[in-house]
Amino acid sequence: MSKRIEVNDLNVYYSKFLAVEGVSLTIEPRTVTALIGPSGCGKSTFLRTLNRMHEVIPGAYVKGEVLIDGNNLYGPGVDPVLVRRQVGMVFQRPNPFPTMSIGDNVLAGVKLNNRRMAKSDADDLIEKSLRGANLWNEVKDRLDKPGSSLSGGQQQRLCIARAIAVQPDVILMDEPCSALDPISTLAIEDLIEEMKADYTIVIVTHNMQQASRVSDRTGFFNIAGTGKPGRLIEYSDTTTIFSNPSIQATEDYVSGRFG
């Protein structure tokens, strides 16, 4: 079940520094939302608030609401570990556990959540997750080999398999292709397109073509200057953002006239 995300007046802090100010947006289920904007404008910081990864950093906290199907992730008594089980994360650089086998990498998150399962169930989950990440046919004969034996693009798909094995509702991706070659990048983009049938996906990308290819809606973040907070400047259907944005700064950025 993919879920609807509503963000209401979210302010994100690192100790006293306001990093992201006043973000409100709604992300519909089973869509891909791209977050674009110059470096340092708060896109990744905002993304990390959607599964409470932000507060892992000492002194970091948020004000405002993030609702998933009406439940505030930051409500009193909400367990951040349960939030992260519901909202998976794929990082910029592929980060499989190098000493673990391909199969064990897929199950890593599930085991972390202390779910014990019979070997047949584990094998089924490994296959299902690797198929979901479009990696099964490439690795099915070497599941016992280390995750680090795969190419960069395969490692990133392994990380996606690891994220979906926990059966989340939402998947966040922080520049998932920035360390990959063009062919691997296209494989991940095709995969994102397939995955939105089952998940709500939010992706941060610096690649304008990628944002226009994979996303249904796009949010443009910008910053007024060094030391100022990042803000969501414009949020709309991707075709609108790229062909007919309503704000000049958005147009300058997507057309490359920026900075």
Side-chain angles (χ1 to χ4, degrees):
M1 270 297 292
S2 63
K3 306 279 185 169
R4 179 179 205 201
I5 304 169
E6 287 175 76
V7 179
N8 298 319
D9 195 24
L10 192 73
N11 294 279
V12 190
Y13 293 85
Y14 292 101
S15 298
K16 291 191 177 121
F17 175 64
L18 177 60
V20 177
E21 182 177 29
V23 175
S24 296
L25 55 76
T26 299
I27 295 170
E28 295 299 338
R30 296 196 173 88
T31 60
V32 180
T33 299
L35 306 177
I36 61 169
S39 294
C41 67
K43 306 178 299 295
S44 292
T45 295
F46 170 70
L47 189 75
R48 292 164 70 94
T49 66
L50 300 180
N51 73 343
R52 296 190 58 169
M53 286 282 290
H54 172 66
E55 67 206 56
V56 172
I57 298 162
Y61 64 98
V62 309
K63 290 181 178 172
E65 289 185 320
V66 178
L67 306 173
I68 295 193
D69 273 7
N71 300 311
N72 185 9
L73 301 190
Y74 292 93
V78 175
D79 181 351
V81 175
L82 292 178
V83 170
R84 291 177 204 133
R85 193 179 302 177
Q86 187 185 11
V87 185
M89 185 104 176
V90 177
F91 296 93
Q92 188 168 359
R93 297 201 167 270
N95 59 348
F97 300 111
T99 56
M100 276 189 198
S101 70
I102 292 167
D104 284 342
N105 257 288
V106 175
L107 297 176
V110 179
K111 288 182 171 167
L112 201 64
N113 292 323
N114 294 324
R115 271 181 47 205
R116 293 173 179 270
M117 50 172 68
K119 182 164 188 326
S120 60
D121 292 343
D123 290 345
D124 288 348
L125 183 59
I126 290 170
E127 178 173 348
K128 184 179 171 205
S129 304
L130 288 168
R131 282 191 187 281
N134 208 358
L135 188 58
W136 174 250
N137 288 336
E138 292 163 60
V139 303
K140 63 184 181 200
D141 301 322
R142 47 178 175 143
L143 295 174
D144 55 345
K145 297 281 188 291
S148 52
S149 67
L150 299 174
S151 72
Q154 290 172 324
Q155 287 186 25
Q156 192 62 300
R157 281 181 284 148
L158 179 60
C159 294
I160 292 171
R162 184 174 70 197
I164 62 183
V166 192
Q167 297 169 315
D169 301 308
V170 177
I171 295 185
L172 311 176
M173 299 186 173
D174 193 357
E175 293 189 58
C177 304
S178 65
L180 304 181
D181 64 273
I183 290 172
S184 299
T185 296
L186 282 174
I188 301 281
E189 288 181 9
D190 288 344
L191 180 56
I192 291 169
E193 182 64 37
E194 288 169 27
M195 287 170 65
K196 80 172 182 189
D198 299 308
Y199 307 97
T200 306
I201 299 173
V202 188
I203 175 171
V204 167
T205 180
H206 278 285
N207 181 329
M208 294 301 102
Q209 288 77 24
Q210 181 168 78
S212 63
R213 280 193 299 259
V214 304
S215 70
D216 302 291
R217 305 205 79 194
T218 295
F220 171 59
F221 279 77
N222 202 1
I223 189 166
T226 311
K228 297 276 199 298
R231 306 188 69 131
L232 178 64
I233 304 297
E234 189 166 357
Y235 176 58
S236 191
D237 291 341
T238 295
T239 42
T240 305
I241 291 284
F242 281 92
S243 61
N244 193 21
S246 57
I247 293 170
Q248 187 63 44
T250 312
E251 185 171 333
D252 290 348
Y253 185 75
V254 299
S255 63
R257 285 197 300 271
F258 190 86

